[in-house]
Amino acid sequence: MATPPEQPSRPSTYGYQGTTLDIARLPIPGNAEFAVYFIIEIIFVIIWIAADSVDTHDWVWFTTILTAFYILSRGIAKASRVLEQ
């Protein structure tokens, strides 16, 4: 009677013995930072409509600054997750 073949200690990954496949995680559409950004934009629009002291130039300037900081914060967040190889 023959003995059964030895089982590998860990399952092979998709037929590549001894390697692991890194599966990229895709971002979930929408996140908390975007929600805060969107809420602040809505507040800016309400202030722009309601206040006589805030004109279109000011609204665009505030939105530009907020967008720049949002993009910078996303870049820092993504850079902090870079895997060192």
Side-chain angles (χ1 to χ4, degrees):
M1 184 173 195
T3 59
E6 184 178 326
Q7 297 293 328
S9 61
R10 65 183 174 111
S12 63
T13 55
Y14 304 105
Y16 297 105
Q17 189 72 10
T19 63
T20 59
L21 294 176
D22 292 331
I23 298 173
R25 293 182 346 205
L26 295 176
I28 299 171
N31 55 24
E33 291 172 353
F34 182 73
V36 170
Y37 173 80
F38 186 73
I39 291 169
I40 292 173
E41 278 297 316
I42 297 298
I43 292 170
F44 280 172
V45 168
I46 292 170
I47 292 171
W48 176 48
I49 292 171
D52 292 333
S53 62
V54 179
D55 59 359
T56 304
H57 178 267
D58 293 337
W59 181 76
V60 170
W61 180 247
F62 296 144
T63 299
T64 302
I65 292 171
L66 180 67
T67 304
F69 281 119
Y70 174 73
I71 291 172
L72 181 66
S73 73
R74 291 303 306 151
I76 292 171
K78 288 180 187 261
S80 69
R81 290 189 221 136
V82 173
L83 299 175
E84 296 181 11
Q85 294 184 10

